[in-house]
Amino acid sequence: MNDLKKAGCEVFPIIIPDRSSLKSVNFFLVKQEHSLSMIDAGWNNEECWDGLIDTLQKNGFTINDITEIILTHHHIDHIGLVNRITAENRIPVFSHSESIPRLKRDAAFLEMRIEFYSQLYREMGCGENGEKHVVYLKNAVKRNKQNAIQADVMEITTNQLLNFTIIEVPGHSPDQLSFHDKKNNWLFAGDLLIEHISSNALVEPNLFGNRIPTLLQHIDSLKKCLALNVDFVFPGHGTIIEQPNALISKRLNRIDAKAERLLQLIQSGCSTGSDIAKSYYKNTYYEQFSLVMSEIIGHLDFLEDKGRIGKELIQGIWYYSVLEK
């Protein structure tokens, strides 16, 4: 994509190579009229900081020219430089309201979240593997306490973004937003759509501790993006996506295909979330436990929503079975 300067808007991508499967971490400076907004903030590391400073300098800007930081969602690879930037330039930080207790690392919310996963993994029959992950989460709360966003975080509203329409696109996270430039038909989409890998619909509680049907939300969000028929998607990772509709359709078809494979596993006798996950993912179940369980639980919700499977709670564990058509 060569022409990033169009009607009233110029985009300066900051693309930082990443050694993981993400390939890169992306965030964007967007010049509109009298503002220079930063959409997302990468990792909190020198590579992202140097990439930001280099991009600013090459285009005649400084840190003090940034007028606000706008977050697509709260994940750590999207918020990393917020504290460092706002320590030098006390600008507003805007996000979805659901982001705020996560960004501020609210103790009561994080405690509730740990209890949510503890119960969820018990009900999915994960046993010791679930208990180990809950211990990991408890340690992570202590370890990441210093990562709380220090600046005031405000809920974003439509009048705070001059030429953008704000679209809620939950699924990958409950607080994910995308920003649509209608004039240029561009979409800043966070992790809704990534060209080289499928975006995970991560199982999460809402602010009241109830489980969100994240894969169902993710499907709805992809369909919202499809209906916009945008020309370009600026994603949180990988390359900028031109004419994304074919990719969106591919992602939706893969969800259907995976659900059918899980249905076959249930028909063959796998009945708990943990058993289904082990059968489908093999060793990856142990290596990437939380991601695997999110995928499985999301697809079980999908099949249940379609009326393809039912479940019964027996001694605190959900057992799934195929429903006759």
Side-chain angles (χ1 to χ4, degrees):
M1 184 178 181
N2 298 317
D3 189 4
L4 296 179
K5 184 176 183 179
K6 290 194 175 182
C9 184
E10 185 169 9
V11 181
F12 306 95
I14 304 165
I15 312 294
I16 308 300
D18 193 279
R19 288 176 287 276
S20 74
S21 62
L22 297 174
K23 291 192 178 179
S24 71
V25 172
N26 308 339
F27 49 113
F28 305 94
L29 293 167
V30 182
K31 185 77 177 77
Q32 298 181 86
E33 297 183 20
H34 304 297
S35 68
L36 180 66
S37 305
M38 191 165 111
I39 298 179
D40 286 340
W43 287 108
N44 182 20
N45 61 26
E46 291 308 309
E47 289 86 354
C48 286
W49 179 257
D50 291 344
L52 170 62
I53 298 301
D54 185 57
T55 301
L56 287 166
Q57 289 177 346
K58 281 181 178 176
N59 293 284
F61 302 120
T62 70
I63 282 285
N64 290 323
D65 290 312
I66 301 173
T67 51
E68 60 270 316
I69 299 171
I70 303 161
L71 301 175
T72 61
H73 61 296
H74 73 279
H75 290 168
I76 195 167
D77 53 333
H78 292 256
I79 68 167
L81 296 179
V82 170
N83 282 341
R84 192 164 177 179
I85 293 167
T86 55
E88 291 194 25
N89 180 10
R90 295 182 65 82
I91 52 176
V93 179
F94 296 106
S95 73
H96 192 292
S97 59
E98 285 257 359
S99 300
I100 294 171
R102 294 168 165 92
L103 294 170
K104 288 295 187 178
R105 302 202 65 77
D106 179 80
F109 173 80
L110 294 177
E111 186 177 338
M112 175 274 287
R113 190 171 177 269
I114 289 170
E115 182 50 41
F116 164 83
Y117 286 113
S118 179
Q119 180 177 340
L120 177 67
Y121 294 145
R122 282 197 305 270
E123 291 178 348
M124 289 295 151
C126 298
E128 185 180 344
N129 297 296
E131 291 169 7
K132 282 181 182 177
H133 191 70
V134 169
V135 171
Y136 169 82
L137 290 174
K138 289 177 179 178
N139 291 333
V141 167
K142 297 173 186 174
R143 188 170 62 248
N144 295 322
K145 193 173 182 180
Q146 75 279 5
N147 293 331
I149 297 303
Q150 300 303 314
D152 290 336
V153 181
M154 290 169 277
E155 179 182 357
I156 195 166
T157 60
T158 51
N159 61 1
Q160 291 155 342
L161 287 178
L162 291 175
N163 297 317
F164 286 134
T165 300
I166 300 165
I167 303 169
E168 295 198 32
V169 286
H172 174 67
S173 68
D175 58 328
Q176 187 166 240
L177 298 170
S178 65
F179 310 113
H180 185 208
D181 179 346
K182 287 185 176 180
K183 288 183 180 177
N184 298 311
N185 210 20
W186 295 345
L187 188 71
F188 296 83
D191 287 351
L192 172 65
L193 188 68
I194 301 170
E195 187 170 57
H196 64 282
I197 54 172
S198 296
S199 184
N200 301 100
L202 301 173
V203 171
E204 280 273 353
N206 63 17
L207 297 181
F208 305 101
N210 301 315
R211 180 155 69 85
I212 303 167
T214 49
L215 184 61
L216 297 175
Q217 286 188 336
H218 182 59
I219 291 167
D220 286 344
S221 295
L222 287 172
K223 289 178 178 177
K224 280 185 191 177
C225 185
L226 194 64
L228 290 172
N229 198 31
V230 297
D231 293 324
F232 293 101
V233 168
F234 293 87
H237 307 281
T239 59
I240 294 169
I241 304 166
E242 186 173 356
Q243 303 299 330
N245 282 10
L247 179 62
I248 296 169
S249 296
K250 180 180 176 182
R251 293 284 181 262
L252 291 169
N253 289 337
R254 282 189 174 179
I255 291 168
D256 287 332
K258 181 178 280 189
E260 289 300 320
R261 293 198 295 274
L262 296 187
L263 194 66
Q264 291 170 9
L265 286 176
I266 297 168
Q267 284 176 321
S268 73
C270 294
S271 57
T272 68
S274 181
D275 286 344
I276 296 163
K278 288 175 185 175
S279 296
Y280 188 89
Y281 281 102
K282 312 299 184 197
N283 285 339
T284 309
Y285 170 83
Y286 303 98
E287 296 161 1
Q288 299 181 43
F289 175 79
S290 63
L291 292 178
V292 162
M293 288 309 301
S294 282
E295 278 288 295
I296 294 300
I297 293 167
H299 282 79
L300 290 173
D301 286 346
F302 175 76
L303 286 167
E304 193 175 355
D305 184 67
K306 293 286 186 186
R308 305 290 301 280
I309 62 172
K311 64 185 180 185
E312 184 180 6
L313 192 65
I314 302 172
Q315 295 183 339
I317 297 173
W318 287 113
Y319 288 85
Y320 291 85
S321 59
V322 176
L323 297 177
E324 297 297 327
K325 288 185 179 181

